[in-house]
Amino acid sequence: MITAQPAGTPSYVLSEGPVWHAASETLVWIDIEAGLVLRGELDERGHINVINRTELGEYVGCAIPLDDGRMLVALTRCLAIVHTDGSVARSAELIPEHQRLNDGSIDPQGRLVVGSLTLSGDANDNVLLRLESTGELMVLERGLGLSNGLGWSPDGTVFYSTDTDAGTIYRRSYGAERVGEREPFIVFDEGVYPDGLTVDSSGRLWVAIWGGHGVRVFDERGDELTDLGARIPPPHSSSVAFAGPALDRLVITSASRDLDDAERMRWPEAGGLFSAPSDARGLPATPWLEAPLPGVEPDLGALQR
């Protein structure tokens, strides 16, 4: 295991969702609870310089950078496009008031897949949603505890999703028209909480462990590769991505949330980003094939770009 080093960012409440945007050679991530979308430049030492900070005033579950500078974001209960001038076009509300949208990613066909978690009440009625190219919203799964990290195999035929409350990463077959039945792929020990994940070019899963001080790695059979992975000093690693032009730098997000005063003094970089060089290579992010947001008239100009 390698030890990832602080990347020089501020300490956030709950940094999450790192995405490397190849067209601009920048990293995009969020602070979920502070309602922030952030963009930074990554240098050869692994330091990240924040160059843009957008405040949205509510929860942000994920942010997908678009090539023209806009962002597709999951807000508390709706999807939205954040324009370069800071204006926001919101969809209709998609989930009940006791839930919020959480981690999301673009599937191999260019469609957004995003899950939900419970803010109050029953914690086993969360869903996994997919925004179709027509603007229709499809429910891929119901009955989840806390939908979290998502990823696909390099050939796009296997879909992985995390239920943090269940301590389980599921897999199922995946295609343009059909999603197979889910099956448990990695079941963690009680008290181990898988969070965000990414899949590398060899098909291995890199999984951030909330409370686990870093990232664990599993092969395509679900066996842990104990000689790989990365550690960070603070306990709450929240997500992971490969960044840089060669997708050979590991970036790990973390949280300062749920730490008491003594723990924050012990780990002052908690909530910041960490990075480390890696022998593994990531997969390029699939661009979003722009679709109408539910309840919003489509931007015909944008759809033609």
Side-chain angles (χ1 to χ4, degrees):
M1 270 198 174
I2 57 176
T3 298
Q5 301 299 317
T9 63
S11 177
Y12 303 102
V13 180
L14 180 49
S15 62
E16 251 277 14
V19 178
W20 176 253
H21 185 231
S24 63
E25 294 195 344
T26 57
L27 184 78
V28 170
W29 71 99
I30 59 175
D31 183 343
I32 292 177
E33 297 196 356
L36 297 177
V37 177
L38 301 123
R39 188 189 290 266
E41 294 175 332
L42 176 70
D43 69 19
E44 65 278 0
R45 299 170 299 164
H47 289 186
I48 298 168
N49 177 42
V50 179
I51 59 172
N52 187 266
R53 183 178 186 272
T54 302
E55 298 185 25
L56 294 171
E58 59 179 290
Y59 290 117
V60 182
C62 67
I64 308 297
L66 308 183
D67 287 351
D68 61 3
R70 296 173 303 147
M71 297 274 183
L72 170 65
V73 298
L75 296 174
T76 308
R77 287 185 291 276
C78 69
L79 301 177
I81 298 292
V82 179
H83 295 275
T84 55
D85 63 1
S87 61
V88 180
R90 287 174 167 81
S91 77
E93 292 198 351
L94 308 177
I95 55 175
E97 288 189 1
H98 69 280
Q99 296 175 343
R100 72 162 175 84
L101 294 173
N102 197 40
D103 211 341
S105 189
I106 304 300
D107 79 358
Q109 289 73 38
R111 301 167 294 191
L112 175 70
V113 178
V114 62
S116 71
L117 62 76
T118 297
L119 295 170
S120 63
D122 185 357
N124 293 303
D125 61 347
N126 287 289
V127 293
L128 197 58
L129 306 172
R130 187 172 71 197
L131 179 63
E132 303 296 299
S133 60
T134 59
E136 176 188 5
L137 202 66
M138 177 177 288
V139 179
L140 298 184
E141 282 189 17
R142 300 182 186 274
L144 299 173
L146 194 169
S147 180
N148 225 317
L150 310 172
W152 286 264
S153 60
D155 66 1
T157 62
V158 180
F159 173 39
Y160 304 101
S161 69
T162 303
D163 186 335
T164 298
D165 279 359
T168 300
I169 295 175
Y170 296 103
R171 69 177 175 184
R172 76 275 295 147
S173 60
Y174 198 84
E177 304 297 332
R178 183 179 179 276
V179 181
E181 292 294 321
R182 80 182 187 201
E183 61 178 11
F185 176 56
I186 304 167
V187 179
F188 293 85
D189 293 338
E190 185 175 353
V192 178
Y193 302 106
D195 203 322
L197 65 80
T198 192
V199 181
D200 71 18
S201 60
S202 297
R204 298 171 295 201
L205 276 71
W206 297 65
V207 183
I209 306 297
W210 183 268
H213 291 271
V215 173
R216 293 165 61 177
V217 183
F218 301 84
D219 65 18
E220 65 276 4
R221 297 180 300 275
D223 296 327
E224 185 170 4
L225 304 174
T226 55
D227 57 329
L228 293 179
R231 288 189 58 80
I232 62 172
H236 298 321
S237 45
S238 55
S239 194
V240 57
F242 288 93
L247 295 174
D248 60 353
R249 178 152 300 263
L250 201 66
V251 173
I252 302 168
T253 55
S254 71
S256 59
R257 200 192 77 178
D258 297 347
L259 300 180
D260 61 29
D261 290 343
E263 290 170 325
R264 292 186 187 202
M265 290 183 65
R266 180 179 179 185
W267 297 299
E269 293 95 359
L273 275 60
F274 295 78
S275 74
S278 176
D279 292 333
R281 297 292 183 272
L283 293 167
T286 303
W288 181 48
L289 294 182
E290 192 147 344
L293 300 184
V296 176
E297 290 296 319
D299 180 348
L300 296 180
L303 291 173
Q304 292 167 2
R305 283 196 283 269

